[in-house]
Structures are given as C-alpha cells and as structure tokens.
Amino acid sequence: MNLETISLDQLRVFTKAAELGSFSAVGRELGRAQSAISYAITTLETQLGLSLFDRSGHTPRLTEQGAAILADAKSILARTEGLHARAAGLRDGLEPELAIVIDVMYPVPRLARVLGDFRERFPTVTMRVGVEVLGAVAEYVMNGRAKFGVIGSMPFQPAGLVGDALPPIRLIPVAAPAHALATMPRENRMMALTDEVQLVLTDRSRLTEGKDYAVYSAKTWRLSDLGTKLEFLRAGLGWGNMPEHLVQEDILSGRLVHLCGITRSVTEWLPMHLVRHPTTALGPAGRWLWDAMLAPSNN
C-alpha cells in the first residue's frame, strides 16, 4: 500500500461521490467522464486496501469503511483549503497571528461578540488574547508583546502610547451579606470603611509599582486576580470595588450586597482606552479589530 501516491483530486472525487450518491452525477458536476470518476475511486480503494463503496445495488453506497475514511478525507481537504487561504492572506499582507491584551475590568462578553465577527472575517488568523491588570496591560503594548490593548484599571494613559476612548466601566463597592458593612445601617458605612479589610487588585508592573488606586481602608489584602477577588468577596473576607457588570447577578441573587450608603467617591466610573504604540503597524486584521472595538454597536 503506497499512501504517498494518494492525490487531493482522488479525495475530492471520493467525497463528492459520497455526497451525490452517483458516479455519473460526479462526472457531470466535474465535467469528466464517468469512467474517469470510477477509475479515480477504484485507484483510491486499491491504494488504501479498502472497499469504499458497495456497488451491488443500482447506486453506489458507502461501506462502513468508506464512511470512516470520508471523515478523514473531508478533514484533509478542509486543511488544504485553509492552507491555501492562509497563503493567500500572507501574500496580501494579512497577519498570521494577532496578539492583544485586555484589562481585567473590560467586559468579556463585549469582547467575545467582536471576536466572533473577527473569526468569520479572518478565519486563518490566530488570535492571542492576554488578560492583565493595572500597568501590565501598558507594558505588554509598550514592549511589543501585544499589538494593542485596552487599559482600564490603571487610571491614566502612559506617555508614548496613542489611542481612543472606550465607554467607561462603573465600579461599585460590594460585600457579602454577612459582612459587617452590609449588616450595619447605611449611614454608618462610610465611617467604618477604614476599619474593614479592603480587597485590592495589584500587579508587578513597574508602571504601577507601589501605587494605590481607589483604596479607602487602612487594612488591605492585595490580589492579582479579579476572579480570586470575587470569590473572596463572596466568602466575606473583605469588601471591595468591582465592575458592576461582573457582580450584577451576585447582587440579584443575594450573594453580594451593593454598599449603597457609601458616598459617591467610592462608586467610580473607570475610564477605558484602546491603546497602541505609535510605531506599531497594524495589518488588515488588526485594523479591522481596532475599528470594530471602537464601533458604537460593539460598546
């Protein structure tokens, strides 16, 4: 059995015969004689050492072996088409890969909607999406590890980056129902803040090292992961500011309480910006994604 001599044309003829259920129909569609179609399939069967069609009836029917091989044949043809599409994209300047970095505060469902459209338009482009906090997002963009990024939890745009504003994210103070701040009268909560542990996001980037943002308590626990912060809040280990979109269901279900008695200075609107380095060149996919993330319909 010599598998190296199997051609893509044989696989196309085989899959088309399985689809149409007739060698003559395949011949008409491909503009070939029926004898040429039969020869291609018979040769493929000989090379594989398998009977792909049962020819005992009026029309050829796939055997069990043929049905198993059909899945592999379709996979090979799909990968070949993908190879041609990728090569064509590269010839036209399309990026083989696009890396972006997103602030942990950015709504993931919003990003998923945009990337769903992106995948339809650029199926050959590999996406790499990093999720970071505070200055780490800016560092990824500045050192070239990401083509562009969304800055949010760091409340300023570093010098040397250019970008456009995205809709801000509302941060609200929350705690577990049994937490002291949640059980006391609302008018007493602000005075009690400094005595209660505040859960605060932190990172290791040099841009925000040693800096605090929206910290109101003298007692803090430092966390580098927003998911961990959410679980600690649910467990009653402290209070903290969270993106409203991320805790809406927790508040509705009673797992968390919005600390409404705290003054407006604790409820903050967090600016979000799409940023890139001015020397970074975006290819067709990168330019489309940049514009799509800024589009009003996606915000």
Side-chain angles (χ1 to χ4, degrees):
M1 180 171 57
N2 186 0
L3 298 182
E4 293 183 0
T5 59
I6 294 176
S7 68
L8 293 175
D9 181 70
Q10 287 174 305
L11 296 181
R12 291 191 187 95
V13 170
F14 167 54
T15 56
K16 185 61 67 174
E19 174 189 338
L20 299 178
S22 167
F23 292 175
S24 59
V26 175
R28 287 192 296 272
E29 181 163 320
L30 298 182
R32 303 183 193 178
Q34 179 177 341
S35 58
I37 301 301
S38 297
Y39 177 78
I41 294 175
T42 300
T43 303
L44 179 61
E45 289 177 319
T46 300
Q47 292 169 325
L48 294 175
L50 298 173
S51 177
L52 302 177
F53 287 97
D54 179 355
R55 298 168 174 78
S56 61
H58 180 67
T59 57
R61 292 183 298 106
L62 274 178
T63 62
E64 290 186 6
Q65 295 174 328
I69 294 297
L70 179 62
D72 291 327
K74 288 182 176 179
S75 176
I76 292 170
L77 292 174
R79 287 178 178 274
T80 303
E81 291 173 1
L83 173 65
H84 284 295
R86 184 181 294 274
L90 292 173
R91 290 195 300 271
D92 295 337
L94 184 65
E95 310 95 305
E97 179 178 291
L98 182 61
I100 64 173
V101 59
I102 303 297
D103 189 277
V104 70
M105 299 291 188
Y106 189 78
V108 174
R110 187 183 302 174
L111 176 64
R113 289 195 300 271
V114 177
L115 291 183
D117 293 338
F118 178 90
R119 185 180 62 179
E120 293 295 323
R121 290 175 178 267
F122 304 99
T124 66
V125 178
T126 299
M127 274 300 308
R128 296 193 183 278
V129 181
V131 179
E132 295 292 341
V133 66
L134 295 169
V137 175
E139 285 193 347
Y140 267 67
V141 177
M142 294 172 74
N143 63 25
R145 295 173 66 184
K147 285 288 187 180
F148 59 82
V150 175
I151 289 179
S153 53
M154 181 176 65
F156 66 92
Q157 182 172 312
L161 295 181
V162 297
D164 295 289
L166 293 167
I169 301 299
R170 187 178 185 229
L171 297 181
I172 61 174
V174 294
H179 190 275
L181 289 175
T183 58
M184 69 175 58
R186 292 185 179 185
E187 60 271 18
N188 297 341
R189 287 173 177 167
M190 192 63 195
M191 291 294 296
L193 280 184
T194 58
D195 295 326
E196 299 295 334
V197 172
Q198 182 178 354
L199 304 180
V200 180
L201 281 180
T202 186
D203 74 341
R204 299 179 182 178
S205 74
R206 289 171 293 177
L207 290 173
T208 51
E209 185 177 6
K211 298 179 181 179
D212 285 332
Y213 304 104
V215 176
Y216 301 91
S217 177
K219 304 175 182 178
T220 59
W221 282 17
R222 308 282 171 157
L223 309 168
S224 61
D225 176 70
L226 191 63
T228 301
K229 180 179 179 179
L230 178 57
E231 290 300 327
F232 281 17
L233 287 167
R234 290 169 177 167
L237 299 180
W239 74 275
N241 288 318
M242 289 291 287
E244 185 178 31
H245 67 268
L246 194 61
V247 294
Q248 282 179 335
E249 291 187 7
D250 284 276
I251 293 172
L252 290 174
S253 67
R255 288 192 297 268
L256 292 175
V257 174
H258 182 187
L259 301 176
C260 300
I262 294 177
T263 62
R264 286 183 177 272
S265 63
V266 180
T267 301
E268 301 185 0
W269 286 94
L270 188 67
M272 307 292 286
H273 289 88
L274 191 63
V275 298
R276 61 181 175 83
H277 196 277
T279 63
T280 297
L282 298 178
R287 289 194 299 270
W288 183 93
L289 184 57
W290 177 279
D291 293 338
M293 292 184 69
L294 291 172
S297 60
N298 291 323
N299 292 296

